[in-house]
Amino acid sequence: MEYSIGDFSKLTGLSIHTLRYYEHEGLITPERNSSSRRCYSDKDLTWIEFIKRLKDTGMPIKEIRHYAELRADGDPTLSERMEMLVQHRQALNEQIAQLQEHKIKLEEKIEFYRKKIERVHDAPLPKSEYTNSEPPHTG
């Protein structure tokens, strides 16, 4: 199926301006019809969803551009593309571990305040006031 830039914008949730920017940056290369208008395909839709995922996971546009260049070069770059994704996965795992540590520290502080407030008021607080329905992590 072929999509105009307006239809493709609606399908992807990206503005026309963003699509043109991605094209300018070499991230996407839509075909052109006989009137020289951009024509996007289902293959472009799959690719743009992957670009969005990479962006959402924090991969910089510069790296996405490099990945797109490798992709355009075809199968000889499969190993290099896989290595880029492996390295990005490692960076994400490190970020996740750091966020989990931050969450633990926040839970510990919330528990500290909960106990202190209970002592001051001499009554337990309802759980909904101090937790997101998970018990505080203590270990």
Side-chain angles (χ1 to χ4, degrees):
M1 181 141 192
E2 287 188 359
Y3 307 100
S4 68
I5 193 168
D7 292 337
F8 197 68
S9 171
K10 289 175 188 165
L11 278 172
T12 62
L14 297 173
S15 70
I16 291 173
H17 174 77
T18 299
L19 292 171
R20 288 181 178 145
Y21 169 74
Y22 282 3
E23 184 178 354
H24 179 263
E25 289 297 313
L27 301 180
I28 57 175
T29 52
E31 298 292 325
R32 299 280 180 157
N33 66 15
S34 58
S35 306
S36 198
R37 293 185 179 262
R38 292 170 181 87
C39 293
Y40 296 90
S41 67
D42 289 330
K43 187 176 175 183
D44 293 319
L45 187 58
T46 301
W47 172 235
I48 204 78
E49 292 301 324
F50 186 65
I51 289 172
K52 286 170 55 178
R53 184 164 309 279
L54 291 176
K55 195 167 176 295
D56 288 346
T57 61
M59 184 179 277
I61 292 291
K62 180 181 174 182
E63 285 184 43
I64 298 172
R65 182 185 315 116
H66 181 61
Y67 187 94
E69 290 166 357
L70 292 172
R71 179 179 176 263
D73 289 343
D75 287 352
T77 67
L78 288 172
S79 293
E80 193 173 349
R81 284 184 274 163
M82 185 181 78
E83 184 56 32
M84 282 186 75
L85 295 178
V86 166
Q87 288 177 9
H88 187 61
R89 179 183 61 191
Q90 180 59 35
L92 282 177
N93 285 337
E94 290 168 9
Q95 288 176 349
I96 290 167
Q98 186 177 35
L99 287 171
Q100 287 172 332
E101 181 62 28
H102 293 324
K103 182 179 178 232
I104 289 167
K105 294 301 180 187
L106 283 172
E107 289 171 345
E108 289 171 357
K109 189 55 97 173
I110 290 167
E111 181 65 8
F112 167 81
Y113 283 120
R114 184 191 64 77
K115 287 179 180 177
K116 187 123 176 134
I117 291 167
E118 284 179 349
R119 281 195 299 273
V120 168
H121 295 291
D122 199 31
L125 286 174
K127 252 188 174 183
S128 63
E129 290 188 28
Y130 66 88
T131 184
N132 62 0
S133 78
E134 294 179 27
H137 187 280
T138 57

